[in-house]
Amino acid sequence: MPQFVFKLSLLLPLLAGMVWVNWSVDPAILMIEHRDDPTRHPYENIIARDLLAGRTHRLKSIQLELVVDELVYRGRPQIDTLVLGTSIAKPIHAGLFGGPNFFNASVTGGRIEEMIMAYQLALDCGLKPRHVLIEVDSRSLSPRDGMPDSKLLRRALGRLNLPVETKRDSIWHLMWLAVEPGEDTAGAAKAQRPIYPYDELISPRYFQFTIAFLAKQWMARGDKPRELVSQFGEANESLLYPDGSLEWWDNAVARTPESIRQKFAQVQAGSLAGLQDRPVAEKYRMYEAFVGDMVRSGVDVQFMLLPPNPWIFEEARQAALRAGKELPSVETERAIRSIAAKFKVPVRGSLDPRHVGVTEADYIDDVHLRREAIERIFDRHR
Amino acid sequence: MRFDSFQFAVFFPIVVALFWSIPQRLRWVLLLVSSYYFYMCWRPPYAILLVVITAIDFCVGRALGRVNGAAARRAILAVSILANLSILFVFKYYPFVANTLNGWQQSTLFPNLAIVLPIGLSFHTFQSMGYMFDVYRRKTEPERHWGTFATYIVFFPQLVAGPIERAGEMLPQLHHYKNFEYKRATNGLKLMAWGLFKKVVVADRLATLVDPVYGNTDAYSAPMLVLATVAFGYQIYCDFSGYTDIAIGSAEVMGIRLRPNFRAPYHATSVQEFWTRWHMSLSTWFRDYVYIPLGGNRVSPWRWAVNILIVFALSGIWHGANWTFVLWGLYHGVLMIGERAGRSLVAAVSRRADPEPSRARWRAVRVVATFALVTAGWVLFRAPSVGAAQTIFAKVTTDWESFLTLERVLQELARLKWQPIDMVVTLLAIAVVEMGDTLQSYGSVRGWLSQRPFAVRWGAYYALLLFIMFFGHFSGQPFIYFQF
């Protein structure tokens, strides 16, 4: 038996070799540890190169915006004004603030966690923003399904003395999930693999994918860079400016209030724009800790409240009235204003479109304002 | 749980490590629990079926051991056969029978039950029935230990796709487990690696060509249909024999010997010989429990021909509930009859053509002819319907012009995303398989390899495993015989 085990161990170099190749190359960036590594994201590097060179970039594919942010931070000696928010804040541009050292680090689909990470990245890159604008919308304080699994976030939350609530199953639970008998039609593997993506390290399929990737790279060496192929089509490519702000794609800009109403007619209004989501204490505490930390560091913080489409808002408000309840976004705005009052932070705008003077024509969908509408809101609330 | 899955790669070493660590008297417990776990990874509630079959047959076996009267023994045997065949009928054949009868009567008299076929049902049912017949004939003593009997029925290496084991060969091994033997264990691992090679490098790669072509036979040219059929012949061989090798190898690691199931079937010089080399455990089962009780070849030629057709029709039906399988079985039955009838004629023709026949040349002709006949039968086996099979035969026999150029075939291969590298790898892998089969006919390849110097041995092992790593097609394709 010892001889058998020893001879089996002679096969370990094969396994180790496969693991090493899969781990070190990881072309699909499956491993969580590699997701924050900017060197592994070629498209994001292309975007950042354009922005740092002062060029506009047409977005041809989905990108990891935090990776772009980090690459820009590393290339800029100073950023005085930083915008943190979601895609709603993307059209906020340098012209609204004056000064060259402006950057919009908003993250599409992001929440307070992404804002904290974007700010932490700036600190990690040695930048000390003097002004930070935080965009707030109806979803800002509502609960979120699962936190991003990121070392950066854990570090940032740790710095703010906030609990790290990344959901991780215990090793025992993962082991049980791995061995639990279950539906396995004709022997096919279970859809949910508890130790994914780490089982891909010993996956011959991923190994072959990696080798093919390396082979293509080797064969393409010396070739001039190929033009990027758009995944969206030209009419659906947004324009990213060197200051990090965005101009929406042509098809979105062409939308009319009627076409937007038609598009969302089947969806219950309140479920859009996060108007049914009640704020939760956990998110309130995160905003409080985040803003408080920046204020204590001498950063000039401002809140920018951007409302949803007035049509959506009115439908949700009427539905809330009929139910005899308060619209959750009213509670959200109240909470944000209380944080602002506590730290003496100015608040611009409102989550109620009636107070901001916007119309349906100012929107490209349920929540996203046109660039010129945001400019008008800024002018109105200077 | 598939043999080529990550789950099995974790499961098997743990079972083997425990197997060799625990006392011999407890090994049946480990094998029983692990085999049920193995089965339940597919669909847990269906384990109840296994429990039911095991319980019925264990009790029937014990009863047969106690009862002596012929009529009573026949009645008891009938209980077991009825129970096993009823389960098989309900889960496997009822939808086919119901659809056929509804079609004939143009009614919906027989409801369509949406039942999922339990994996490996045909295999363990026949294994269980074989035990019953052997006990009835007093060839085997009824098993007294329920745990050992249950382990015999559900032993995981051969549970879902054979080989169909005989009680007389396997039960003694489950009573007297062997001690660990280094050579046996390493031989088992080598066989498992070889089986994996056949499955993921050859069979799963060929599936990417066969499945789309047979899924849309109208859209492909005659040469492509022929190519896909030949490819299917190798796909099913490498898939099934690959599975069997892994099954036999994994049992061998635990010191349990399973019967071989294949012996270079495409090297057969006649259809009769083919059936002594292909899925041997099933063909011997039909021989011993159907063909011989019907009289075998000790009957008149006409009666013999009827027996052959019955056996092969049943063999076809065993494979699946579709008229194509029945036709496939009957096709082979007709070939067997034709071979026997034409044997003397063929001998006379060959002597006339070549008075001093070159044995090798004549053998090569017969091998190629047998391969062609068997491949033609695969059309029926693989086609989704009789109509699709008809389409294929009609195209191949009438569209002669398309065989004159390769251009269309190359275009169709490109459409299926088959690159030149795929063709090279596949042909090379098939050549390796055929070489392996040829060498095996001269003596044990594993035995020969184990006597080579360390560098040669380990060079061969690494070469095989690297080939699997680089060229294996890990698409999660299920084993073909799982559906039976």
Side-chain angles (χ1 to χ4, degrees):
Chain A
M1 180 68 93
Q3 186 189 11
F4 179 70
V5 174
F6 169 71
K7 287 290 174 72
L8 274 184
S9 69
L10 294 178
L11 293 172
L12 284 179
L14 262 180
L15 188 65
M18 184 163 65
V19 170
W20 177 76
V21 168
N22 285 347
W23 170 265
S24 58
V25 182
D26 190 18
I29 319 175
L30 296 179
M31 307 303 148
I32 296 164
E33 290 79 356
H34 296 160
R35 283 179 204 160
D36 294 337
D37 179 0
T39 60
R40 291 180 178 273
H41 300 275
Y43 182 49
E44 285 75 1
N45 273 272
I46 292 172
I47 297 173
R49 204 176 53 222
D50 280 348
L51 300 189
L52 290 168
R55 289 191 294 268
T56 304
H57 181 90
R58 292 188 78 90
L59 288 170
K60 296 185 183 297
S61 165
I62 296 169
Q63 2 71 60
L64 292 173
E65 288 159 85
L66 282 172
V67 173
V68 175
D69 292 346
E70 185 177 350
L71 289 165
V72 169
Y73 292 159
R74 285 188 192 173
R76 299 266 293 257
Q78 178 56 13
I79 290 178
D80 292 324
T81 306
L82 195 61
V83 173
L84 301 174
T86 70
S87 51
I88 297 172
K90 286 302 249 187
I92 299 174
H93 58 84
L96 300 172
F97 287 90
N101 293 324
F102 168 98
F103 190 69
N104 187 329
S106 303
V107 174
T108 304
R111 306 280 286 280
I112 178 65
E113 290 84 4
E114 277 73 16
M115 293 186 213
I116 289 173
M117 283 196 277
Y119 183 73
Q120 181 67 43
L121 275 173
L123 297 181
D124 290 346
C125 294
L127 299 171
K128 288 183 175 55
R130 289 191 287 152
H131 310 279
V132 171
L133 179 79
I134 299 177
E135 173 257 325
V136 174
D137 57 75
S138 311
R139 284 196 184 102
S140 294
L141 292 184
S142 51
R144 177 180 190 165
D145 285 331
M147 294 264 268
D149 190 1
S150 161
K151 282 184 183 164
L152 171 64
L153 178 61
R154 284 198 285 278
R155 196 155 40 82
L157 292 176
R159 188 179 67 79
L160 297 173
N161 292 320
L162 286 167
V164 175
E165 291 181 20
T166 308
K167 183 168 176 274
R168 278 201 160 178
D169 287 321
S170 73
I171 186 72
W172 301 112
H173 185 61
L174 286 175
M175 282 172 65
W176 168 244
L177 287 176
V179 301
E180 181 189 11
E183 293 296 320
D184 190 52
T185 309
K190 278 197 290 204
Q192 203 173 32
R193 291 139 57 190
I195 55 174
Y196 179 84
Y198 298 102
D199 55 348
E200 292 289 344
L201 289 173
I202 56 168
S203 161
R205 190 162 51 174
Y206 196 52
F207 176 75
Q208 289 169 8
F209 179 75
T210 304
I211 296 298
F213 172 81
L214 289 172
K216 274 189 198 151
Q217 272 197 330
W218 185 79
M219 286 194 294
R221 75 194 189 291
D223 291 353
K224 56 180 182 178
R226 289 181 303 170
E227 199 171 307
L228 293 168
V229 174
S230 176
Q231 288 187 349
F232 303 138
E234 201 175 311
N236 293 319
E237 290 172 358
S238 297
L239 278 175
L240 190 62
Y241 292 105
D243 63 0
S245 69
L246 194 87
E247 175 62 85
W248 303 117
W249 62 95
D250 295 342
N251 281 346
V253 168
R255 289 180 195 150
T256 61
E258 293 72 33
S259 68
I260 293 170
R261 283 194 183 218
Q262 212 171 10
K263 183 175 159 126
F264 292 103
Q266 300 303 317
V267 184
Q268 192 190 358
S271 66
L272 293 167
L275 288 166
Q276 275 185 343
D277 300 336
R278 295 223 162 268
V280 294
E282 172 210 332
K283 299 299 172 192
Y284 179 93
R285 280 193 292 273
M286 289 179 83
Y287 270 92
E288 200 181 30
F290 184 41
V291 172
D293 174 73
M294 284 193 285
V295 168
R296 283 189 292 273
S297 307
V299 176
D300 170 33
V301 180
Q302 295 182 39
F303 280 117
M304 184 76 206
L305 274 57
L306 294 175
N309 188 312
W311 166 64
I312 305 276
F313 178 84
E314 188 55 29
E315 298 246 320
R317 194 179 71 85
Q318 294 295 336
L321 274 176
R322 284 193 294 272
K325 290 181 183 173
E326 187 180 55
L327 201 57
S329 61
V330 171
E331 208 180 319
T332 300
E333 181 163 348
R334 200 163 45 235
I336 291 294
R337 287 188 185 277
S338 76
I339 295 173
K342 182 176 176 180
F343 296 106
K344 297 183 178 50
V345 161
V347 179
R348 302 190 197 207
S350 169
L351 295 182
D352 187 332
R354 296 172 298 179
H355 300 160
V356 168
V358 290
T359 65
E360 286 181 58
D362 290 321
Y363 288 79
I364 62 164
D365 59 23
D366 56 329
V367 293
H368 294 96
L369 285 148
R370 297 173 190 275
R371 202 171 163 94
E372 52 274 19
I374 286 190
E375 287 168 358
R376 246 186 21 249
I377 295 172
F378 266 80
D379 280 341
R380 182 174 164 153
H381 292 273
R382 275 194 200 281
Chain B
M1 196 192 300
R2 289 193 341 268
F3 279 162
D4 56 339
S5 65
F6 175 71
Q7 236 181 337
F8 186 75
V10 173
F11 166 84
F12 184 67
I14 292 173
V15 170
V16 168
L18 287 172
F19 184 85
W20 291 116
S21 309
I22 60 177
Q24 285 201 9
R25 60 188 162 78
L26 293 177
R27 283 182 185 165
W28 69 268
V29 178
L30 171 71
L31 289 180
L32 189 62
V33 168
S34 56
S35 297
Y36 267 94
Y37 168 74
F38 182 88
Y39 193 78
M40 286 165 70
C41 282
W42 172 70
R43 214 171 268 257
Y46 277 40
I48 296 169
L49 270 178
L50 280 181
V51 172
V52 166
I53 290 175
T54 305
I56 291 173
D57 290 342
F58 178 71
C59 295
V60 165
R62 293 295 302 272
L64 282 172
R66 284 197 289 267
V67 169
N68 285 315
R73 287 170 63 79
R74 270 202 300 274
I76 293 169
L77 178 67
V79 167
S80 166
I81 294 174
L82 192 65
N84 280 285
L85 291 181
S86 299
I87 291 173
L88 198 58
F89 177 79
V90 167
F91 284 93
K92 187 165 180 177
Y93 298 108
Y94 174 78
F96 167 63
V97 171
N99 284 339
T100 304
L101 291 175
N102 284 340
W104 285 346
Q105 296 182 359
Q106 304 214 330
S107 70
T108 52
L109 185 66
F110 299 94
N112 235 329
L113 305 174
I115 306 174
V116 176
L117 176 65
I119 202 166
L121 179 68
S122 305
F123 287 92
H124 59 73
T125 302
F126 267 42
Q127 181 154 312
S128 197
M129 283 168 57
Y131 166 77
M132 286 295 111
F133 290 134
D134 285 346
V135 169
Y136 173 77
R137 292 175 186 173
R138 300 188 196 273
K139 276 184 69 177
T140 301
E141 284 300 310
E143 178 53 50
R144 292 173 187 277
H145 191 275
W146 72 270
T148 303
F149 180 74
T151 306
Y152 161 70
I153 298 295
V154 305
F155 184 50
F156 73 85
Q158 43 94 227
L159 171 63
V160 292
I164 300 171
E165 284 301 316
R166 302 299 177 90
E169 288 165 12
M170 192 150 162
L171 283 172
Q173 296 188 76
L174 297 178
H175 277 292
H176 305 288
Y177 292 101
K178 297 189 177 79
N179 292 327
F180 179 81
E181 197 183 294
Y182 170 79
K183 195 169 168 186
R184 192 170 44 230
T186 52
N187 275 346
L189 288 180
K190 286 176 211 163
L191 193 56
M192 289 175 77
W194 178 241
L196 189 66
F197 169 81
K198 286 197 273 188
K199 163 70 173 156
V200 301
V201 178
V202 183
D204 287 356
R205 187 176 290 276
L206 287 172
T208 63
L209 184 144
V210 173
D211 291 349
V213 173
Y214 268 82
N216 191 6
T217 50
D218 288 333
Y220 292 91
S221 63
M224 192 62 186
L225 292 170
V226 169
L227 182 65
T229 305
V230 172
F232 177 70
Y234 274 100
Q235 180 200 350
I236 192 170
Y237 171 52
C238 290
D239 190 283
F240 195 13
S241 68
Y243 174 92
T244 303
D245 287 342
I246 297 173
I248 294 173
S250 53
E252 208 170 325
V253 173
M254 291 184 281
I256 295 169
R257 188 166 290 281
L258 299 180
R259 51 176 38 208
N261 223 4
F262 293 89
R263 192 169 53 89
Y266 291 142
H267 296 186
T269 55
S270 66
V271 173
Q272 183 183 11
E273 190 186 348
F274 174 80
W275 282 102
T276 64
R277 290 167 174 261
W278 176 276
H279 201 179
M280 292 164 2
S281 65
L282 180 72
S283 51
T284 53
W285 195 99
F286 273 109
R287 180 197 64 197
D288 293 342
Y289 301 118
V290 181
Y291 177 66
I292 290 175
L294 285 175
N297 58 7
R298 296 179 188 186
V299 292
S300 68
W302 286 109
R303 178 63 196 273
W304 173 83
V306 169
N307 291 347
I308 285 291
L309 288 176
I310 290 172
V311 166
F312 276 92
L314 287 175
S315 172
I317 291 171
W318 178 91
H319 281 83
N322 195 324
W323 286 112
T324 53
F325 292 114
V326 177
L327 289 173
W328 172 78
L330 288 172
Y331 168 76
H332 275 271
V334 166
L335 285 180
M336 292 279 279
I337 295 167
E339 253 182 19
R340 181 166 162 175
R343 202 167 289 157
S344 50
L345 175 66
V346 167
V349 167
S350 71
R351 276 197 299 274
R352 213 180 165 87
D354 192 344
E356 291 180 3
S358 155
R359 200 171 266 191
R361 194 164 56 228
W362 180 228
R363 184 187 154 77
V365 167
R366 286 163 67 195
V367 166
V368 170
T370 305
F371 181 79
L373 288 170
V374 167
T375 301
W378 288 134
V379 172
L380 291 163
F381 192 94
R382 180 59 183 84
S385 65
V386 175
Q390 276 177 325
T391 303
I392 295 171
F393 284 127
K395 258 193 182 175
V396 168
T397 51
T398 56
D399 189 9
W400 294 101
E401 281 180 7
S402 57
F403 284 95
L404 297 175
T405 63
L406 276 179
E407 200 184 322
R408 187 157 168 203
V409 172
L410 293 173
Q411 284 172 358
E412 286 168 335
L413 282 171
R415 198 164 16 122
L416 293 171
K417 298 193 171 65
W418 260 62
Q419 307 292 329
I421 181 80
D422 291 302
M423 293 182 244
V424 168
V425 166
T426 308
L427 287 172
L428 186 62
I430 290 174
V432 169
V433 169
E434 287 291 356
M435 200 164 62
D437 282 350
T438 304
L439 291 172
Q440 186 70 13
S441 65
Y442 292 107
S444 167
V445 175
R446 286 180 288 161
W448 174 86
L449 194 57
S450 61
Q451 284 161 14
R452 296 307 107 199
F454 178 88
V456 171
R457 282 201 324 272
W458 281 89
Y461 304 153
Y462 262 67
L464 185 70
L465 292 173
L466 282 169
F467 206 91
I468 292 172
M469 273 167 61
F470 276 86
F471 299 114
H473 203 268
F474 295 89
S475 56
Q477 190 86 0
F479 286 92
I480 293 175
Y481 267 71
F482 274 18
Q483 61 188 305
F484 307 134

